[in-house]
Amino acid sequence: MSDIDIHHLAAAYALDALDEHERLQFEAHYSGCEICRNDVVEHRETAAALGSLTESPPRPELKSNLMAEIAQVRQLSPLPSPVARLSDRRRSRSFTTLLAAAAAVVIFAAGAFIVGGRNSEGGFGDEIAAVLAEPNAQFVRLDAVGPGNISVAWAGGRAVIVGDGLPSPAAGSVYELWLIDDAGAHPMSLLDPAEDGKLRRSLAVDGEPTAWGITIEPESGSSTPTEPILFVGTT
């Protein structure tokens, strides 16, 4: 097996889908390859986040549309040049980005992310599918310092936010979403959750986030985040 083939085993290894021979070969390579170690961590985090979501039927045409898109994409090795920095490689890793986005679309289309009682006809599921169909789509589950969980997917100037198990803020307070970049934290939207602790929101995004954060703020909103940041995730 070539070095390029071994690099392509990261996703299958993260999901325990290799046979014994492939697993031994990958593990011998894995310990000395920073690229593969990061890939395995990312695939496992995504699988763990998706595993906690809720089921709903997909639209019949989603699978055929996805397979048609994949058939038109040239699949390249993720190997960088010897002098490439990991941060540069992350931005240009078209194969891994496509693989993660395609896997997310398939799982979401199968119902893992289409929740909250909204159907697929022009509903929130369509908004998620549209974001994840973008070639540069990104997905992150925010780390929490308290109860509840929130995930954000974004691309093409739009973001979708899904939260579950969120306690209601105190009277006069709301959740607020922050886009964080090199210049600091920018207020994006007030995110009042539903009575059942669910949060479903689609909004326009202007900027290139390096992280997302959520705080509790006065119901009029704030221009700077109030500590503590309850949910945060880096891109």
Side-chain angles (χ1 to χ4, degrees):
M1 182 179 296
S2 71
D3 286 343
I4 292 177
D5 291 333
I6 289 176
H7 275 272
H8 288 170
L9 295 179
Y13 179 79
L15 298 174
D16 296 322
L18 298 180
D19 63 31
E20 184 68 12
H21 178 68
E22 290 173 328
R23 183 183 64 79
L24 291 173
Q25 282 191 301
F26 183 80
E27 287 181 345
H29 162 82
Y30 168 84
S31 61
C33 179
E34 182 180 6
I35 293 170
C36 284
R37 291 199 303 274
N38 280 281
D39 283 348
V40 169
V41 169
E42 291 174 358
H43 287 305
R44 284 176 172 168
E45 289 176 346
T46 300
L50 295 175
S52 66
L53 302 173
T54 309
E55 184 173 332
S56 178
R59 292 179 298 158
E61 68 272 19
L62 279 179
K63 180 178 179 181
S64 59
N65 291 346
L66 174 63
M67 299 309 294
E69 290 292 332
I70 291 175
Q72 298 178 34
V73 177
R74 179 186 176 194
Q75 297 187 359
L76 302 176
S77 167
L79 284 171
S81 66
V83 297
R85 295 180 302 173
L86 184 60
S87 59
D88 294 334
R89 175 189 169 275
R90 186 180 298 275
R91 287 190 291 269
S92 63
R93 189 174 52 192
S94 59
F95 174 80
T96 303
T97 300
L98 171 66
L99 179 61
V105 172
V106 170
I107 295 172
F108 289 2
F113 210 86
I114 302 173
V115 287
R118 303 181 65 171
N119 61 36
S120 61
E121 288 295 328
F124 190 61
D126 286 339
E127 298 177 47
I128 292 171
V131 168
L132 291 172
E134 295 286 338
N136 62 338
Q138 298 189 64
F139 172 85
V140 64
R141 180 162 182 164
L142 308 187
D143 295 327
V145 299
N149 61 80
I150 296 178
S151 299
V152 183
W154 70 99
R158 292 207 66 79
V160 286
I161 300 94
V162 171
D164 288 285
L166 300 175
S168 295
S173 299
V174 294
Y175 290 99
E176 186 163 4
L177 175 70
W178 303 87
L179 182 152
I180 303 169
D181 59 19
D182 293 341
H186 310 279
M188 292 295 296
S189 178
L190 302 180
L191 303 172
D192 219 2
E195 292 181 359
D196 57 1
K198 295 182 182 297
L199 170 65
R200 309 288 183 261
R201 182 65 61 86
S202 172
L203 50 88
V205 174
D206 182 14
E208 295 293 333
T210 58
W212 295 92
I214 291 178
T215 60
I216 290 181
E217 304 293 343
E219 59 186 358
S220 59
S222 298
S223 59
T224 57
T226 299
E227 297 290 344
I229 298 179
L230 301 179
F231 299 87
V232 65
T234 57
T235 66

